[in-house]
Amino acid sequence: MVNDNTGDVDRAWDLMKKIGFAMLVTRDGDKLRARPMSAFLDRDANTIFFLTDARRHKDEEIAHHPSVNLSFADASSQKYVSLTGSAVVSNDRAKIKELFSTPAKAWWDSAEDPNIRVLKITPDDAEFWDSPGTVISYVKMAAAAVTNTRPDLGENRKVSL
């Protein structure tokens, strides 16, 4: 069941923005492939962008299977978001220039590199887990084990985006 609470939708977007990096999961035939990517969120447009390289296989995978998963994780603070959506790859040079930043220089010399593409994800829904943090979670788990109860480890919600 998906929750349409605006506050929960805001929290999902806030967590994704704070974490900043996602594992992009695509389908390669019968296999799933994941790789870390730096996310550019545009909440107003309900879109997540990535810069990608045309020489990599993910572009071909997305052309055949546009349904993707993004998994954002901050294990140190026990905060996670898993998002499903549709992806499309484009050669929008204006968007590439807009998104090109210092981290991109690790992969390309400039925004003019002809191999850079924009990966645009339109989210369908997301699920997030927002815990009070590792130490508190461990204390709550230990207390639950001693008292034979289930621990309250924070919020978990499914939202439509």
Side-chain angles (χ1 to χ4, degrees):
M1 183 168 193
V2 175
N3 177 347
D4 289 324
N5 182 309
T6 302
D8 290 340
V9 171
D10 291 342
R11 188 63 185 145
W13 280 99
D14 290 345
L15 287 169
M16 289 186 288
K17 183 176 181 178
K18 181 179 178 187
I19 295 168
F21 286 88
M23 292 296 290
L24 168 66
V25 181
T26 58
R27 181 171 296 281
D28 182 9
D30 292 335
K31 297 182 181 187
L32 298 176
R33 302 280 184 220
R35 76 278 291 155
M37 307 275 292
S38 180
F40 299 91
L41 281 72
D42 185 345
R43 167 77 190 272
D44 295 335
N46 191 44
T47 305
I48 301 166
F49 295 100
F50 299 92
L51 292 180
T52 185
D53 196 299
R55 298 168 291 189
R56 304 294 180 246
H57 296 290
K58 72 179 112 10
D59 296 4
E60 296 166 15
E61 295 165 5
I62 289 167
H64 289 100
H65 303 283
S67 294
V68 298
N69 172 265
L70 299 177
S71 297
F72 294 81
D74 181 354
S76 65
S77 64
Q78 298 291 297
K79 297 181 187 318
Y80 308 92
V81 180
S82 178
L83 175 145
T84 59
S86 299
V88 64
V89 178
S90 79
N91 192 17
D92 181 340
R93 302 317 293 180
K95 192 64 163 176
I96 290 167
K97 280 186 168 188
E98 176 187 330
L99 298 176
F100 197 84
S101 60
T102 302
K105 291 179 183 175
W107 305 105
W108 304 282
D109 292 332
S110 77
E112 304 306 320
D113 188 310
N115 295 303
I116 302 174
R117 297 292 183 272
V118 175
L119 176 57
K120 176 184 175 184
I121 310 293
T122 303
D124 296 321
D125 55 50
E127 185 167 1
F128 70 85
W129 296 262
D130 190 1
S131 167
T134 304
V135 173
I136 293 171
S137 294
Y138 285 142
V139 169
K140 287 183 175 190
M141 284 188 282
V146 170
T147 61
N148 204 25
T149 60
R150 295 229 184 254
D152 176 10
L153 297 179
E155 297 182 57
N156 170 232
R157 302 279 192 279
K158 290 182 182 179
V159 297
S160 293
L161 300 176

